[in-house]
Amino acid sequence: MVADDSTQPLLDLPAAVQPSLLQGFPSRKQQAGPQLADHLPVARVLVESSLPHLDRPFDYGVPAGLDEDAQPGVRVKVKFNGQDLSGFIMERAGESDAGHTLLPLAKVVSPVPVLTPEVRALVTAVASRYAGTVSDVLRVAVPPRVARLEKTYPPSAETPAETAESAAAKDRGADDAWVSFRNGPAFLRHLKDGGSPRAVLNPLQGYGPAGWPQLLAQAIAAAHASGRGTVVVVPDNRDLDRLEEAVGALLPERAVARLTAEDGPTPRYQNFLRILAGTARVAIGTRSAAYAPVKDLGLVVCWDDGDDLHIEQRAPYAHAREVLLLRAEQSGAACLLAAHSRSTEVQRLTETGWALPVEADRTLVRRTVPRVVNTADSFEQERDPLARIARLPGTAWRAAKEGLERGPVLVQVARAGYAPSLVCDHCREPARCAACQGPLAVAGASGTSALPQCRWCSTPAPDWHCTHCNGRKLRRGATGVIRTAEELGRAFPGKTVITSSGDQVKARVTNSKALVVATVGAEPVAEGGYAAALLLDGDSLLRRESLRASEDTVRRWFNAGALVRPAIEGGLVVVTAADTAAVGALLRWDPAGYAQRELSLRAELQLPPAVRIASITGPRAAVGHFSGAVAAQLEQTGVRLRTAGPAPLILSGPPSTRRSAEDVRTLIFFPYAQAAAVTRVLRATRAATAAKRSAEPVQLRLDGVDVL
C-alpha cells in the first residue's frame, strides 16, 4: 500500500476517517513545488509519532538540491498536518500513487545514514512482534544525534591486515575455558569457520579466568577471527565493564565499541558512528545495543536474559533477548544465550531444537562449584530446631565465622534500607498508610520507637491502628541491608563490614577478610572468589506474588553462588529457605533441570512462556471495546482466544505512578502458531481505535513478565 494514496483504504478505516490523516497536504490543484530530483524523486518517510495510525511511510518529493543527501536512512524534517516533524527516509522510489502533488522534504537534518537496511528490517519485525509502532522502536534503536561528531564521519579506517594480524596474535590459545564444556570446542570451531551455531551456555563461575566474561570474550574473538561482527547485550554497566576488560585482552581496542546511555550522549553517539562506519566490528552494551548497526554480523550474545533490566521501559517494552533472536534469524548469525541459571524462555528454545546446550560434565560441576547447605532440611532441623524461624541459623553463623578465616564472606539479603516495612505485632498484617494505602516504614536505627511514615507519600502515622485486628503496636516485617550489616558487625566484632545496595553498589571487593552485605543483584565480585555465601530471606523472595517468583529467586541464588570458591577450596553456600524445588536445584547445581520442570508446569497450565500473552489495560469500557473488536476479527479467521478478565487492577506503587482505580485488565493467551495473526489484529485494532477516537486509549503489552 502506498503511503499517502487517498484513493486506497488506510488500515481498513471508514472513508470518512481517512482524509483527516492527510490534512496539511496540498490539493491536486495546487501548483508544483520546487524541481524534483531526476532519479528516484519520491522519498518514503516515517515520521516520528507515537500515534498508531500514523505508523507507516508517507510519500514526499525530493528537491533536486537535496538529491545527494536525501538517501535512505538519513534524518529529515517534513511538513505534516501543518507541523514540522522529524523522520527517517525509509526508501527512495521512482513514482508515487498518492494521486496529489507531494510536499517536498523540508530539510535533510544529517547526511549520515544512521538507519541501515538491516536495522530498518529489525525494528519493523520488533514492532510487529510486540504490536507496537516502528517509531517507538526507532527511538531506542538510533541514539540522539550529536552534530559536531558527524563532521569527522566516516572516521579514518584501519587497514584490515593490521586488525586480522592483531586479532590472530591475541586469539592464540584463547579458547581454553571452552574445552571443559561438552560441545564447547565444536561451537568455537564452527564460529571460526564462518558458521552460525546457536547455543545455550551455563558458566559455572562468575570470577577468575574461567568466569563468564572470559567465556563470552573467547566466543567474540572466534567470530572476529572469521571476519564477522558481534553484538553483545548485558544487563547493566557493572557487567559491561567486566566484559569490556575481558574482550580488550583478546581484541584490539579499536575493534570494540561500547554502547550504553549511562556513558552520556557524546561517547555513545561517537561509538555508534564507529560501528556504523565499520571501524568497530564488536558492539557491547546494555539493551539498546541490540540494534547496533554492526557490519557483516556473525554473532549475537545475550548475558543473563532473566534479568528484567533487559526489558525496555518504554513502549513497546521489547526484551533484548527477543530482539537478538529476531536479528539472528534475519541475518543468519550465530547466537549465544549465556547465564548461570536458565530462564524458561531459553529452555523452550532448547526443547524445540532451536538452540543446543553447551554443558559441563557433572564431574566438572562438582569440582568447580561450592558446596550448598540448606538450613531447612531434616538433617539441619535435627541439629538446630530453631533454624526454620531464625534469620541467621547456627549453620549460617558457623559458615560465616569459618569463612572469615579464609577470605571475604558474602551475605545476600532481599531488601535495601534499614527496616523497609512494618507489620502489626498482633496479626502480622502489613501496616498501611491511611492516606494512600502505601506501606509504613521507619527511616533509621531507632526502630519502631521512631515515628513511622508512608514510603509512598511520606505522611507520618502517629496514631496508626491495624484495620484487621485494631492493634496499635508495630514490629519490623523485614530487615534491610543496613540493619543486617549492623547486626553482623556486632556478631563478628573487629571484622570489616561492607554494604552494597541501592545507589551505593560496589563492583568489586578485595580478598580481605570482610563481610560483604548486598541486596539481590548488587553482589560485588571478589577477586579470588568468596570463601562462603549466606543467602538470607529466601522465603521472602519465594513468597512474592508473581508467576516468576521462584524462577527469579533461583537465578539470583545461582548468580551469588557462582561468586564463591569451589568446594575443594572450602567454598560453602548456605541458603535459608523452605525445602522446595528451587532449593533442590541449587543443592544439585542443576539450572537446566529446574528450568525444564518449570516449563513443563507452565505448559500444563498453558501459561507463559509455553504460550504468549497480551495484556490490555485501561478504563473498563475501553478495554471491553478493544478486546471485543479483536475477538470479532479473529473469529472471522477461525482463531478463538482464551481470555481472562476484565479484572480490576491491584494498585501498587506511589499514587503518582499508579493507573486509575477504575482501570481494569484483560489478558489474552494465544499459542505461538497463531502469534502472527493475533499480533497483526492487535496492532491494526489499536491503530483503528486511535484514528477513530471511538474509545479511550488502552495500554497494550505483549509478553510482560510482571503481568502474572
Side-chain angles (χ1 to χ4, degrees):
M1 183 179 66
V2 177
D4 46 355
D5 186 348
S6 59
T7 65
Q8 295 188 9
L10 181 65
L11 292 173
D12 298 325
L13 303 184
V17 179
Q18 297 167 18
S20 65
L21 301 182
L22 301 176
Q23 292 177 3
F25 284 85
S27 67
R28 302 184 187 188
K29 297 182 180 180
Q30 271 185 271
Q31 297 295 322
Q35 181 180 355
L36 300 183
D38 295 331
H39 181 63
L40 301 178
V42 178
R44 295 200 167 110
V45 177
L46 181 75
V47 296
E48 293 185 1
S49 172
S50 60
L51 297 176
H53 55 289
L54 301 183
D55 187 37
R56 61 188 184 89
F58 290 90
D59 287 357
Y60 285 86
V62 180
L66 299 179
D67 183 25
E68 183 178 352
D69 291 341
Q71 299 302 314
V74 303
R75 292 181 169 101
V76 293
K77 288 280 190 181
V78 295
K79 283 286 186 182
F80 191 91
N81 199 25
Q83 298 179 336
D84 289 327
L85 295 182
S86 300
F88 294 90
I89 295 181
M90 306 300 280
E91 61 177 328
R92 292 276 295 268
E95 58 183 14
S96 171
D97 297 334
H100 57 73
T101 303
L102 300 179
L103 283 173
L105 297 174
K107 178 183 179 182
V108 174
V109 176
S110 167
V112 178
V114 291
L115 183 60
T116 63
E118 181 191 357
V119 176
R120 183 168 69 242
L122 176 63
V123 298
T124 302
V126 171
S128 297
R129 177 178 176 80
Y130 286 93
T133 65
V134 176
S135 181
D136 282 340
V137 182
L138 280 174
R139 182 177 54 190
V140 178
V142 181
R145 178 178 179 242
V146 180
R148 61 183 177 84
L149 296 177
E150 296 179 351
K151 296 177 181 178
T152 58
Y153 180 86
S156 57
E158 60 194 23
T159 61
E162 282 184 349
T163 303
E165 181 181 353
S166 176
K170 292 191 174 186
D171 188 49
R172 294 188 185 102
D175 55 356
D176 294 342
W178 284 79
V179 174
S180 303
F181 290 86
R182 191 185 309 124
N183 299 328
F187 177 78
L188 290 190
R189 282 197 306 270
H190 203 173
L191 275 179
K192 291 179 181 178
D193 293 341
S196 300
R198 297 179 294 215
V200 173
L201 174 68
N202 296 124
L204 300 177
Q205 287 186 327
Y207 70 97
W212 68 263
Q214 286 68 32
L215 287 166
L216 265 57
Q218 291 159 14
I220 295 167
H224 190 269
S226 70
R228 297 178 296 169
T230 303
V231 172
V232 188
V233 178
V234 297
D236 55 34
N237 272 17
R238 290 191 305 147
D239 291 336
L240 181 56
D241 292 339
R242 296 185 62 198
L243 180 62
E244 186 177 24
E245 180 181 348
V247 174
L250 299 180
L251 297 181
E253 182 180 356
R254 59 182 175 274
V256 184
R258 171 186 170 120
L259 291 177
T260 174
E262 293 190 21
D263 285 349
T266 299
R268 181 186 180 192
Y269 195 60
Q270 185 176 37
N271 286 333
F272 176 85
L273 293 179
R274 289 177 56 221
I275 297 170
L276 185 66
T279 56
R281 303 291 293 277
V282 178
I284 60 175
T286 49
R287 55 181 180 253
S288 62
Y291 303 91
V294 173
K295 293 188 176 181
D296 301 321
L297 183 64
L299 174 66
V300 296
V301 183
C302 183
W303 167 250
D304 199 10
D305 68 290
D307 196 317
D308 57 10
L309 290 177
H310 281 299
I311 303 173
E312 181 57 46
Q313 299 303 300
R314 298 174 292 182
Y317 312 102
H319 195 296
R321 177 194 59 238
E322 303 302 320
V323 176
L324 292 176
L325 293 179
L326 287 171
R327 192 162 189 183
E329 286 283 357
Q330 287 187 345
S331 61
C335 180
L336 177 61
L337 302 170
H340 292 305
S341 61
R342 185 178 295 181
S343 68
T344 48
E345 286 82 3
V346 171
Q347 179 63 26
R348 178 181 166 273
L349 294 177
T350 62
E351 292 187 6
T352 57
W354 191 91
L356 295 178
V358 176
E359 299 174 320
D361 293 326
R362 293 306 301 177
T363 303
L364 176 64
V365 173
R366 288 191 291 270
R367 193 170 63 244
T368 306
V369 304
R371 175 172 167 249
V372 182
V373 174
N374 179 22
T375 60
D377 65 20
S378 57
F379 176 76
E380 294 295 334
Q381 286 292 306
E382 289 182 5
R383 296 178 62 190
D384 184 3
L386 298 179
R388 184 180 294 273
I389 61 175
R391 187 159 187 263
L392 191 67
T395 301
W397 186 87
R398 288 190 296 272
K401 183 176 182 296
E402 295 170 3
L404 285 171
E405 297 175 359
R406 304 189 305 271
V409 173
L410 174 65
V411 182
Q412 184 193 71
V413 298
R415 296 173 176 86
Y418 190 85
S421 62
L422 299 173
V423 298
C424 175
D425 185 64
H426 181 260
C427 68
R428 299 297 193 270
E429 284 292 326
R432 295 286 179 179
C433 172
C436 72
Q437 295 304 304
L440 296 184
V442 289
S446 52
T448 54
S449 62
L451 183 65
Q453 65 180 32
C454 178
R455 289 170 52 195
W456 291 351
C457 66
S458 300
T459 301
D463 301 319
W464 176 87
H465 69 277
C466 179
T467 57
H468 293 266
C469 68
N470 210 35
R472 293 185 174 274
K473 189 175 180 181
L474 292 166
R475 64 173 291 152
R476 295 187 186 92
T479 302
V481 64
I482 299 176
R483 169 79 175 178
T484 303
E486 288 185 1
E487 292 176 348
L488 290 174
R490 289 192 292 268
F492 299 96
K495 297 297 182 182
T496 303
V497 180
I498 302 171
T499 60
S500 176
S501 67
D503 56 355
Q504 300 293 326
V505 176
K506 293 176 175 58
R508 300 175 187 267
V509 294
T510 63
N511 288 329
S512 59
K513 299 175 181 179
L515 285 161
V516 181
V517 186
T519 50
V520 287
E523 302 90 352
V525 178
E527 295 176 358
Y530 289 99
L534 313 181
L535 308 182
L536 307 182
D537 306 328
D539 289 328
S540 297
L541 293 172
L542 292 169
R543 281 198 303 262
R544 288 176 300 151
E545 294 182 0
S546 170
L547 175 67
R548 297 174 181 265
S550 59
E551 179 184 347
D552 189 54
T553 301
V554 168
R555 182 185 70 83
R556 296 177 185 276
W557 283 347
F558 272 99
N559 286 351
L563 300 176
V564 182
R565 299 168 187 170
I568 59 176
E569 298 178 15
L572 177 64
V573 173
V574 179
V575 56
T576 60
D579 197 1
T580 61
V583 175
L586 183 65
L587 291 171
R588 299 187 306 273
W589 206 272
D590 185 20
Y594 180 78
Q596 183 180 19
R597 178 184 181 275
E598 276 291 300
L599 183 60
S600 65
L601 291 175
R602 309 266 185 93
E604 184 178 347
L605 299 173
Q606 287 294 287
L607 293 174
V611 296
R612 295 193 63 190
I613 183 173
S615 65
I616 306 165
T617 307
R620 183 176 293 274
V623 170
H625 177 273
F626 187 94
S627 56
V630 170
Q633 292 188 55
L634 288 173
E635 283 183 3
Q636 296 176 2
T637 62
V639 177
R640 297 185 64 85
L641 297 176
R642 180 168 67 97
T643 62
L649 289 182
I650 299 176
L651 300 181
S652 62
S656 60
T657 65
R658 300 194 311 217
R659 298 186 66 91
S660 169
E662 303 297 324
D663 283 354
V664 297
R665 173 176 290 161
T666 291
L667 303 180
I668 299 177
F669 303 88
F670 50 96
Y672 286 86
Q674 298 175 349
V678 174
T679 53
R680 184 166 54 248
V681 170
L682 287 170
R683 198 178 181 193
T685 304
R686 184 167 174 251
T689 303
K692 298 175 186 178
R693 299 180 181 178
S694 56
E696 293 186 65
V698 297
Q699 182 195 61
L700 177 63
R701 288 186 63 189
L702 270 72
D703 303 322
V705 298
D706 58 343
V707 173
L708 295 175

